[in-house]
Every structure is written in structure tokens, then in C-alpha cells.
């Protein structure tokens, strides 16, 4: 079961995203954040607030080369 938090089409700021991710995950549901853009700082904030996954809009390549390499993903890999 997943819960989507849409920061691309909704009027959701960082504070609201943090609150919603916490509420969704505390109910046993995996929070997935749809970002407003593909900027690395947006990806970092979503992962830092506890999102289990992210959706990056407007990627021009299959792996969104313009955003993903800027993130040290090893910091976020699950060890379980």
C-alpha cells in the first residue's frame, strides 16, 4: 500500500511535505513523493523527510541523468 504526496500539482511546501510523509508512514503506508521538478535539492529534501520513493517529473532521459547523479544515493540505500 502506498500514499502519494503530490508537490508538483498541489500547493504543498516543505513543512506540509514533512508532515504528510510522517502521517502516511506512521499509518503503515509507504509515502511516495511526486516532486515539483528534477532539481537535486528537491530530491534530497524528499528523501531526507522519509519518503520511501520519489517520482521525478519532466525527465528527458530514462534515468533522469540531469538530476540523479548529483545525489549520493548510497546515503539513502536501505540496509535491510
Amino acid at each position: 500500500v502506498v500514499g502519494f504526496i503530490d508537490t508538483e500539482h498541489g500547493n504543498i511546501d516543505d513543512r506540509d511535505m514533512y508532515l504528510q510523509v510522517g502521517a502516511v508512514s506512521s499509518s503503515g503506508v509507504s509515502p511516495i513523493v511526486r516532486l515539483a521538478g528534477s532539481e537535486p535539492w528537491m530530491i534530497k529534501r524528499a528523501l531526507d523527510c522519509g519518503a520511501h520513493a520519489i517520482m521525478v517529473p519532466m525527465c528527458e532521459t530514462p534515468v533522469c541523468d540531469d538530476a540523479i547523479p548529483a545525489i549520493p544515493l548510497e546515503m539513502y540505500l536501505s540496509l535491510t
Side-chain angles (χ1 to χ4, degrees), residues 53-70:
I54 56 170
M55 295 174 67
V56 180
M58 300 172 280
C59 288
E60 301 296 325
T61 63
V63 293
C64 203
D65 295 328
D66 53 333
I68 301 301

Side-chain angles (χ1 to χ4, degrees), residues 21-72:
V21 166
V24 168
S25 62
S26 70
S27 66
V29 177
S30 290
I32 298 176
V33 175
R34 180 180 179 136
L35 301 172
S38 62
E39 287 80 6
W41 65 269
M42 290 182 179
I43 296 170
K44 290 179 190 177
R45 286 189 181 176
L47 294 174
D48 285 346
C49 80
H52 292 184
I54 56 170
M55 295 174 67
V56 180
M58 300 172 280
C59 288
E60 301 296 325
T61 63
V63 293
C64 203
D65 295 328
D66 53 333
I68 301 301
I71 309 301

Side-chain angles (χ1 to χ4, degrees), residues 66-80:
D66 53 333
I68 301 301
I71 309 301
L73 293 177
E74 64 275 4
M75 292 175 52
Y76 298 102
L77 294 176
S78 174
L79 299 176
T80 59

